[in-house]
Amino acid sequence: MIAEILSVGTELLLGQILNTDAQYLSQQLSALGINVYHQTTVGDNPVRLKNAFEEALTRSDIVIATGGLGPTMDDLTKETICEYLGLPLSVHEESLRHLEHYFATLGREMTPNNVKQVMFPKNAIILKNTKGTAPGLIIEWKDKIIIILPGPPYELIPMFENEVRPYLEKKSDVLLFSRVLRIFGIGESKLEETIQDLIAAQSNPTIAPYAGFGEVTIRLTAKCSKDEDPMKYIQPIEQEIRKRLRHHIYGINNDRLETVVADLLIRNNLKISTAESCTGGLIASKLIDVSGISRSFIEGFITYSNES
């Protein structure tokens, strides 16, 4: 299946907030074996939103829209999409009762414009919002799936994990599994030269090198059925890459250089002190962020001036 993420909000286009929703959703969809080929950001404009949604429908099986579910007049995501689909909205009584209880619990008055947040098309799947006032929804329309989620990440993430992921898991029998090798002490061009033949011959898993800040990573991604172990595809390629890059590979997935160094120090009962000038204590700061490093880290000096 192919999904497209439609991020709605003029504040995104103005750069006032960072679009972490799209990043999160892309990661989650990839893990579910759902390909994301396009991400679109559109402002709070019903005409441009309608055009973006129409285009997304032509090229994707799933369209996930985020943002624009608030109570104000410029929150028009749900209304615009449902108007395009020809689906009239009406009050969902259970959601209304939940909303009234939410405001009563806070000791605040619910204003009339909040009611628009609990208006949904008939037969929509309502997604409960445990952190805010705007429920999400899933619309199964012809052979398409439209998912509309609130914009704030603290509302979107639990809604996706509790409601959307279980729904999508039932729709897909494919798993995409990624394993990242973290590499230090070799540049991206030299790394690619070292494994060029593997990249040229790649099939399953795919091999994707990336240059990062002070390091390079290789992402190995296997595609398989839910019943298979993805490591059976990844392991032979990883072993060959490790054979070639050897000590340049310092970790996997979310490992950080400082955590790996700290673990080596602690496990080998080694002590360390630092003396820094232009880095201004950055090395010491990185190390002391690691739990348990007090067993190895003795002290640090910042000797910035020539006299020091």
Side-chain angles (χ1 to χ4, degrees):
M1 288 193 292
I2 299 171
E4 181 159 343
I5 299 169
L6 184 58
S7 304
V8 183
T10 302
E11 66 277 9
L12 296 170
L13 293 175
L14 294 176
Q16 294 174 342
I17 63 171
L18 187 64
N19 191 357
T20 58
D21 287 349
Q23 180 188 34
Y24 169 79
L25 289 171
S26 292
Q27 292 169 343
Q28 299 303 313
L29 293 168
S30 175
L32 290 167
I34 299 172
N35 297 307
V36 177
Y37 292 159
H38 295 88
Q39 294 181 6
T40 302
T41 303
V42 63
D44 299 306
N45 179 284
V47 175
R48 290 191 285 273
L49 172 55
K50 177 184 173 183
N51 291 339
F53 176 70
E54 183 177 32
E55 186 174 1
L57 276 183
T58 64
R59 60 193 181 195
S60 301
D61 306 302
I62 304 169
V63 179
I64 302 182
T66 67
L69 294 184
T72 60
M73 292 179 64
D74 64 341
D75 291 309
L76 294 170
T77 301
K78 176 178 58 182
E79 290 81 357
T80 301
I81 289 175
C82 289
E83 180 183 348
Y84 175 84
L85 298 175
L87 301 174
L89 301 174
S90 59
V91 173
H92 184 254
E93 294 296 334
E94 182 181 345
S95 296
L96 178 60
R97 289 193 296 271
H98 175 79
L99 188 62
E100 290 170 340
H101 176 73
Y102 178 89
F103 277 97
T105 302
L106 294 177
R108 291 165 48 194
E109 179 184 358
M110 189 180 99
T111 57
N113 60 356
N114 282 110
V115 176
K116 76 188 284 289
Q117 295 182 287
V118 294
M119 296 187 68
F120 299 101
K122 185 179 179 181
N123 298 326
I125 300 171
I126 312 302
L127 307 174
K128 294 178 182 178
N129 189 336
T130 60
K131 302 294 183 180
T133 61
L137 67 153
I138 298 174
I139 301 169
E140 296 177 343
W141 184 77
K142 297 182 178 179
D143 60 342
K144 307 288 185 177
I145 298 171
I146 298 102
I147 302 171
I148 305 176
L149 303 173
Y154 61 86
E155 298 181 28
L156 179 145
I157 292 173
M159 185 179 292
F160 185 91
E161 293 181 351
N162 296 332
E163 308 256 8
V164 179
R165 183 189 288 125
Y167 170 86
L168 291 175
E169 284 176 343
K170 296 175 183 177
K171 298 290 183 179
S172 176
D173 58 358
V174 175
L175 174 70
L176 281 182
F177 178 85
S178 291
R179 182 172 168 90
V180 176
L181 305 181
R182 310 198 76 89
I183 298 151
F184 186 80
I186 185 173
E188 182 185 22
S189 56
K190 180 62 177 177
L191 180 144
E192 185 175 276
E193 180 185 282
T194 306
I195 61 170
Q196 180 60 49
D197 59 315
L198 300 178
I199 295 174
Q202 67 180 308
S203 56
N204 189 18
T206 57
I207 306 169
Y210 295 96
F213 182 69
E215 66 174 346
V216 184
T217 61
I218 299 175
R219 190 190 68 218
L220 304 174
T221 303
K223 188 174 186 178
C224 60
S225 70
K226 290 179 179 178
D227 300 329
E228 290 183 284
D229 179 6
M231 285 303 295
K232 77 176 183 181
Y233 297 97
I234 288 177
Q235 197 167 38
I237 298 296
E238 180 178 339
Q239 286 177 344
E240 180 59 29
I241 292 173
R242 286 184 178 276
K243 179 181 175 182
R244 299 184 188 190
L245 296 179
R246 300 161 56 201
H247 61 275
H248 288 297
I249 298 177
Y250 75 84
I252 62 169
N253 297 333
N254 295 320
D255 285 341
R256 294 176 296 153
L257 196 58
E258 59 266 32
T259 59
V260 173
V261 170
D263 182 61
L264 286 169
L265 291 168
I266 295 167
R267 282 195 290 110
N268 291 283
N269 196 30
L270 297 173
K271 306 298 181 184
I272 188 171
S273 296
T274 60
E276 304 179 61
S277 177
C278 293
T279 50
L282 182 60
I283 296 174
S285 176
K286 292 279 189 183
L287 285 172
I288 64 172
D289 275 344
V290 181
S291 177
I293 193 61
S294 59
R295 282 177 278 171
S296 292
F297 187 78
I298 305 300
E299 57 196 348
F301 300 90
I302 303 173
T303 55
Y304 197 70
S305 70
N306 291 336
E307 291 79 8
S308 295

